[in-house]
Amino acid sequence: EKSANIQIPIASLTKLLTALVAYEKLDLGSEMEISMADTMDISPSLKLQPGEKVKVLDLFNAMLIGSNNDAALALANHVAKATNQNFVNLMNKKAKDLGMSNSKFSNPLGFDSKENFSTAKDLVLLINNLEKLAVIKNLGKQTSYKFISKDGNSYFTESTNKLIKTHSDLEAIKTGFTSNSLGSMISRLNFQGRQIILIVLNSSNREKDTLLLKDQITQNFSLQ
């Protein structure tokens, strides 16, 4: 590890906490209606249409695989409506419950903000909880995702982790990028019967740095 306790903006890695809160507060098998407040054109976006009905699970998967901003926004708004609680408050409460004492969140998408940051060490705590959920782990090798709304509209998104197409020992967890946070990537490495989580933050080349970590492990260690 290096600089594991440095507080830093984490871009769309924030959506991992959004996913955990949504998982705990919503029925993933249920349907929800998209409102005007759920729509957003900031890429990546599904371009959801107001009034249409979609499965919560489809938005959940699209948010994690393709990092779609409107999917995350719709889930956050739906949780707030269902619980009658502020979603950001729920995020920060969950982070505190997980022991993420060096993290703070101001929005469910990961947009740059002085009030939205975490550390690599805190992210380990979040990942360890997410790794218990099959709904998360089953997405690791999916290079794309498509679904059809109840109204018949088709949606398609591609994985933001480009390494899983060419590296069979890697699985995607989440990526992020903004001009302030630079590139971030969390991947799962399958090595000698074990699974190792690789976390890269504040990188000018997140793919290169992830592969560097992978090579350091596979070329220099033997796991008992």
Side-chain angles (χ1 to χ4, degrees), residues 121-159:
K121 192 78 84 174
D122 276 5
L123 287 170
V124 170
L125 300 174
L126 176 56
I127 295 301
N128 284 344
N129 278 268
L130 289 169
E131 288 290 280
K132 300 173 185 177
L133 308 178
V135 70
I136 300 288
K137 296 198 72 172
N138 291 342
L139 302 179
K141 295 301 292 184
Q142 292 204 37
T143 57
S144 63
Y145 187 73
K146 59 183 178 181
F147 66 93
I148 300 175
S149 70
K150 190 173 182 180
D151 307 82
N153 293 324
S154 296
Y155 291 98
F156 176 82
T157 189
E158 288 192 276
S159 175

Side-chain angles (χ1 to χ4, degrees), residues 162-180:
K162 305 306 180 186
L163 296 178
I164 59 175
K165 290 184 178 180
T166 52
H167 296 269
S168 60
D169 55 352
L170 287 178
E171 297 180 21
I173 295 181
K174 193 71 191 73
T175 67
F177 179 85
T178 67
S179 57
N180 191 29

Side-chain angles (χ1 to χ4, degrees), residues 175-190:
T175 67
F177 179 85
T178 67
S179 57
N180 191 29
S181 69
L182 299 182
S184 54
M185 176 176 278
I186 303 181
S187 305
R188 187 184 299 116
L189 170 64
N190 295 294

Side-chain angles (χ1 to χ4, degrees), residues 18 32 38 44-46 48 58-60 62-64 67-76 109:
T18 299
M32 58 176 282
D38 301 330
S45 170
L46 293 168
L48 296 167
D58 286 330
L59 295 181
F60 186 88
M63 173 181 68
L64 292 177
S67 201
N68 295 107
N69 288 313
D70 52 352
L73 180 62
L75 287 171
L109 310 178

Side-chain angles (χ1 to χ4, degrees), residues 21-22 25-27 30-38 51-53 56 72-90 108:
V21 174
K25 300 298 183 181
L26 299 176
D27 175 5
S30 65
E31 291 182 342
M32 58 176 282
E33 183 172 330
I34 301 301
S35 70
M36 183 63 72
D38 301 330
E52 70 176 331
K53 294 182 179 180
V56 172
L73 180 62
L75 287 171
N77 289 341
H78 196 55
V79 169
K81 184 177 180 181
T83 62
N84 198 31
Q85 297 184 66
N86 179 278
F87 189 81
V88 171
N89 289 345
L90 291 174

